[in-house]
């Protein structure tokens, strides 16, 4: 059975994330003990909330040390969901502040309005179902989810000059918005698989089965 270490940022109820993984027979824990860190196949960084608050909690509790150490083991995986994906990047301008992120993926987090102006017809925050368009087809599980609809709720998005790190995108007002990323053993989903019903469950199962036998 695959084992997941779920990082609880105390910003939201992570119960739905845990339940989603349990449904696909993944053993989950939120306890940051050495034993759990060493035995976990992958680490999950979920979150709904602000980037500054998320990074403050991470720094105060030295969770950044755990995440960065975990990232150096290529046999293990890290996956960020929504805010968790954004925290993987170098910095954010949320709330008018420049806040440093985990810097595991190069790029920054910006307000969706910045991306969509001057022809902004979409409502911010972006809430609802959107079809993702897979850009990186190297991994089998990405090919399985191409053109599928997943649930989004966010007011900020990521930008990167490193196109090879972009695995999928959605379109808002004709603009491409990054919906998932991958850099080596680090993955990020801007959407919420745990809130996307059977398709979300299928994605998580495909993700786990791509590296855990």
């Amino acid at each position: 059975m695959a084992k997941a270490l779920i990082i609880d940022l105390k910003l939201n109820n992570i119960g739905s994330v845990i339940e989603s993984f349990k449904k696909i027979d993944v053993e989950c824990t939120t306890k940051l003990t050495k034993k759990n860190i060493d035995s976990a196949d992958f680490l999950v960084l979920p979150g709904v909330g602000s980037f500054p608050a998320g990074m403050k909690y991470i720094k105060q509790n030295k969770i950044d040390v755990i995440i960065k150490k975990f990232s150096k083991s290529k046999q293990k995986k890290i996956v960020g969901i929504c805010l968790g994906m954004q925290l993987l990047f170098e910095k954010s301008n949320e709330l008018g502040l420049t806040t440093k992120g985990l810097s595991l993926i190069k790029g920054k987090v910006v307000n969706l309005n910045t991306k969509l102006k001057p022809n902004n017809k979409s409502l911010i925050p972006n809430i609802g179902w959107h079809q993702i368009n897979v850009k990186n087809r190297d991994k089998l599980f990405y090919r399985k989810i191409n053109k599928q609809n997943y649930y989004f709720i966010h007011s900020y998005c990521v930008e990167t000059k490193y196109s090879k790190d972009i695995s999928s995108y959605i379109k808002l007002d004709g603009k491409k918005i990054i919906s998932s990323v991958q850099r080596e053993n680090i993955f990020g989903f801007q959407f919420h698989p745990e809130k996307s019903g059977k398709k979300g469950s299928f994605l998580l199962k495909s993700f786990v089965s791509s590296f855990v036998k």
Side-chain angles (χ1 to χ4, degrees), residues 9 16 27 32 39 42 44 46 53 74 89 95 99 102 105 121 125 130 132 136 140 149 157 187 189 199-200:
L9 298 178
S16 57
E27 181 181 331
L32 301 178
S39 64
F42 63 102
V44 183
K74 301 307 178 183
F89 283 75
L95 304 179
T99 306
L102 293 166
I105 299 179
K121 297 178 182 178
H130 294 278
I132 65 168
N136 179 348
L140 179 61
N149 292 305
C157 63
F187 300 75
F189 303 123
K199 291 180 180 178

Side-chain angles (χ1 to χ4, degrees), residues 159-174:
E159 288 185 341
T160 179
K161 296 179 180 179
Y162 295 83
S163 61
K164 65 180 180 180
D165 292 342
I166 303 170
S167 51
S168 75
Y169 62 89
I170 61 172
K171 287 187 177 180
L172 290 178
D173 293 347

Side-chain angles (χ1 to χ4, degrees), residues 40-205:
D41 296 298
F42 63 102
L43 179 152
V44 183
L45 185 61
V48 174
S50 76
F51 192 104
M55 282 307 304
K56 181 179 179 180
Y57 185 84
I58 286 172
K59 289 285 188 180
Q60 285 181 339
N61 293 278
K62 298 182 179 180
I63 297 173
D64 54 327
V65 177
I66 295 172
I67 294 173
K68 289 179 180 181
K69 182 179 179 181
F70 202 95
S71 72
K72 292 177 181 179
S73 175
K74 301 307 178 183
Q75 288 73 37
K76 296 177 180 285
K77 312 295 179 185
I78 293 176
V79 57
I81 297 174
C82 196
L83 173 63
M85 176 180 115
Q86 296 175 3
L87 294 172
L88 299 173
F89 283 75
E90 294 174 295
K91 62 182 179 179
S92 170
N93 65 2
E94 189 170 345
L95 304 179
L97 305 170
T98 298
T99 306
K100 290 184 178 181
L102 293 166
S103 297
L104 295 179
I105 299 179
K106 293 184 178 180
K108 61 184 179 180
V109 181
V110 300
N111 194 300
L112 266 176
N113 279 322
T114 304
K115 293 285 291 184
L116 300 177
K117 284 181 178 179
N119 299 315
N120 183 5
K121 297 178 182 178
S122 297
L123 293 176
I124 305 300
N126 173 37
I127 301 175
W129 298 78
H130 294 278
Q131 182 186 95
I132 65 168
N133 303 277
V134 170
K135 178 178 178 294
N136 179 348
R137 295 172 177 266
D138 292 341
K139 298 292 184 180
L140 179 61
F141 86 89
Y142 284 125
R143 296 200 296 270
K144 289 180 178 179
I145 65 175
N146 190 36
K147 303 299 182 183
Q148 299 297 314
N149 292 305
Y150 292 91
Y151 185 77
F152 290 75
I153 175 168
H154 61 120
S155 299
Y156 288 79
C157 63
V158 298
E159 288 185 341
T160 179
K161 296 179 180 179
Y162 295 83
S163 61
K164 65 180 180 180
D165 292 342
I166 303 170
S167 51
S168 75
Y169 62 89
I170 61 172
K171 287 187 177 180
L172 290 178
D173 293 347
K175 301 284 183 70
K176 291 182 179 180
I177 305 297
I178 297 172
S179 53
S180 67
V181 293
Q182 179 186 352
R183 185 175 182 84
E184 297 179 342
N185 62 327
I186 300 167
F187 300 75
F189 303 123
Q190 182 61 71
F191 51 91
H192 288 271
E194 79 281 7
K195 297 183 183 293
S196 298
K198 291 182 179 180
K199 291 180 180 178
S201 182
F202 177 77
L203 181 152
L204 294 178
K205 188 172 184 178

Side-chain angles (χ1 to χ4, degrees), residues 1 15-29 204:
M1 178 182 287
S16 57
V17 174
I18 294 172
E19 286 303 312
S20 291
F21 280 109
K22 284 184 176 180
K23 284 181 180 178
I24 58 171
D25 295 324
V26 173
E27 181 181 331
C28 300
T29 183
L204 294 178

